[in-house]
Amino acid sequence: MDTNEPHAGALPLPVASSSSSAPQPQPQPQPQPQLQCHSEEPPHQHKLLTPDTPDTAHAPLVICFHGSGESCAPAWDALARLLVAQGQRVLLYERGPLNPRPEDATRALCGYLEARGLRGPYVLVAHSYGGAFARMFLQHYRYGGKEKGRGKSGRNGCWRSGWKRGGTGRGEGKGAVVEDMGNIMGAVLVETGQEGGLAPGVEDAQYKNPALGDKPLSVVRGDSFLGEWRRLEQREAAAAAEGKEEGREACRRVRELLELSEEEDKRLKRRQLELSTRSRFVQVEECGHHVVRDRPDVVAAEVRWVVEEGLGCEDGNGDEDRGSRGGEGGKGRFWARVRRRLFGCSVG
């Protein structure tokens, strides 16, 4: 299926309306990214957004993993628009309101990617409990669908040997995509690390032997307890106004608990930096848990960093990164074209 062709389900992205009451000049029609909706089984509705640029099929595909009890729409809409504007394809993958097991969700996602021919390179973006699903997807890609080399491979998606590291993918001959379908470029983990959901053996193994290797990883943390701190400040002000010692003592205990919780939250989130030898930590001030919804600009910037690092183009100046998989010959020329189209950088 050619994801660049419009079909009956294609819709334009919504455009934010102006809050001003003054008459506004009518803008000229602009090309809109395509929004393609595929319904697996109600109420799931996955959305694929593609930029209106040449070589769209080879642009990085950002796979979005939403949190528990949520969906990608509408919380991820603003981020999706920014990513498409950066030249990335975006898959808003809906697990549904009930959380399946990460293994089952990974099998379904791999089958979906294969059925629609959605090849990489992939950038994984996860929020909150979505981190468990992103890391399970990474786990099965790394081991070809086997748990640390054990077990049986299935039939869908990354369960096939062509999705393993070093696989050749599909479609040999003229016009074939050289990169394999399991090519993961990097990841952005937003407010993850505290959610659990992975078997202890899997989680420990991913830290002991960095699951992403030297691929770029950004760990983004908001002020996770921002709401609790603000409520505590209100309680402290009320206790001070009442002048009762028991009220002030209760607030002190809550403050101590919050401080301990904050430190543990930071520790768990920073530990994720060990998933890659090329990682960085971003703290978003004055923003609570919903960083994807409230600060999509920060997340989009981190996706851009991952893509630039993955393509070996730093700061748009065309310098090759030592970790680039560009190489020589056809693959190197392919990535050079992608770099120029996405970031306007060249290769010497």
Side-chain angles (χ1 to χ4, degrees), residues 179-243:
E179 281 63 36
D180 68 284
M181 293 179 70
N183 180 15
I184 295 180
M185 179 176 282
V188 179
L189 301 178
V190 185
E191 278 289 293
T192 64
Q194 76 292 333
E195 70 280 348
L198 288 176
V202 172
E203 186 168 20
D204 293 342
Q206 288 191 351
Y207 286 128
K208 184 177 181 180
N209 185 15
L212 278 167
D214 66 348
K215 297 184 179 183
L217 165 67
S218 174
V219 176
V220 181
R221 181 183 184 272
D223 282 342
S224 305
F225 296 90
L226 182 62
E228 286 81 355
W229 282 115
R230 287 176 174 173
R231 284 189 288 272
L232 175 60
E233 290 170 357
Q234 294 173 354
R235 289 183 59 185
E236 288 175 334
E242 291 177 358

Side-chain angles (χ1 to χ4, degrees), residues 4-296:
N4 294 316
E5 294 183 0
H7 59 84
L11 299 171
L13 287 173
V15 178
S17 59
S18 172
S19 59
S20 172
S21 59
Q24 298 292 327
Q26 293 297 320
Q28 295 298 318
Q30 298 292 327
Q32 292 289 332
Q34 295 179 16
L35 179 62
Q36 303 190 33
C37 303
H38 307 289
S39 179
E40 291 299 287
E41 53 181 84
H44 302 190
Q45 190 174 56
H46 317 308
K47 296 179 182 178
L48 176 66
L49 289 76
T50 58
D52 186 18
T53 57
D55 287 343
T56 293
H58 303 309
L61 176 62
V62 180
I63 304 177
C64 302
F65 298 84
H66 61 76
S68 176
E70 301 174 349
S71 65
C72 288
W76 292 67
D77 288 351
L79 173 61
R81 285 193 292 268
L82 291 174
L83 295 177
V84 172
Q86 291 181 176
Q88 285 106 38
R89 297 174 293 159
V90 180
L91 175 61
L92 300 172
Y93 190 80
E94 301 286 358
R95 299 190 308 272
L98 300 178
N99 285 313
R101 295 191 317 134
E103 296 87 347
D104 296 336
T106 299
R107 182 177 292 106
L109 173 56
C110 289
Y112 181 86
L113 294 173
E114 183 182 27
R116 283 157 181 80
L118 296 176
R119 291 174 168 82
Y122 302 131
V123 177
L124 311 183
V125 179
H127 174 254
S128 193
Y129 191 54
F133 296 88
R135 288 176 61 177
M136 183 54 68
F137 180 83
L138 176 62
Q139 179 79 2
H140 282 287
Y141 155 65
R142 184 174 186 181
Y143 295 109
K146 299 178 182 179
E147 193 84 357
K148 301 179 70 171
R150 299 179 179 178
K152 298 180 179 180
S153 296
R155 295 184 176 181
N156 293 327
C158 60
W159 267 250
R160 295 191 175 185
S161 59
W163 288 54
K164 294 181 183 179
R165 187 185 302 274
T168 58
R170 299 186 174 193
E172 302 297 337
K174 185 177 180 180
V177 177
V178 178
E179 281 63 36
D180 68 284
M181 293 179 70
N183 180 15
I184 295 180
M185 179 176 282
V188 179
L189 301 178
V190 185
E191 278 289 293
T192 64
Q194 76 292 333
E195 70 280 348
L198 288 176
V202 172
E203 186 168 20
D204 293 342
Q206 288 191 351
Y207 286 128
K208 184 177 181 180
N209 185 15
L212 278 167
D214 66 348
K215 297 184 179 183
L217 165 67
S218 174
V219 176
V220 181
R221 181 183 184 272
D223 282 342
S224 305
F225 296 90
L226 182 62
E228 286 81 355
W229 282 115
R230 287 176 174 173
R231 284 189 288 272
L232 175 60
E233 290 170 357
Q234 294 173 354
R235 289 183 59 185
E236 288 175 334
E242 291 177 358
K244 295 182 179 180
E245 179 58 29
E246 55 268 28
R248 290 193 292 266
E249 178 60 27
C251 289
R252 280 194 292 269
R253 290 196 297 269
V254 172
R255 176 170 288 275
E256 291 175 0
L257 180 60
L258 269 179
E259 288 172 349
L260 291 174
S261 300
E262 185 106 36
E263 288 304 312
E264 179 64 7
D265 185 72
K266 290 178 181 178
R267 184 191 71 81
L268 291 172
K269 288 183 167 69
R270 283 188 173 276
R271 189 190 182 198
Q272 296 173 111
L273 297 172
E274 301 173 16
L275 294 170
S276 172
T277 59
R278 185 169 25 154
S279 58
R280 70 180 188 180
F281 186 85
V282 177
Q283 175 68 52
V284 185
E285 303 295 341
E286 293 301 314
C287 179
H289 179 63
H290 293 284
V291 179
V292 169
R293 181 193 68 193
D294 299 336
R295 291 299 307 273

Side-chain angles (χ1 to χ4, degrees), residues 324-344:
S324 173
R325 294 183 303 280
E328 302 294 336
K331 185 179 286 190
R333 289 192 294 272
F334 167 77
W335 284 116
R337 290 196 301 271
V338 173
R339 281 192 285 269
R340 284 194 295 270
R341 290 191 182 279
L342 288 177
F343 307 115

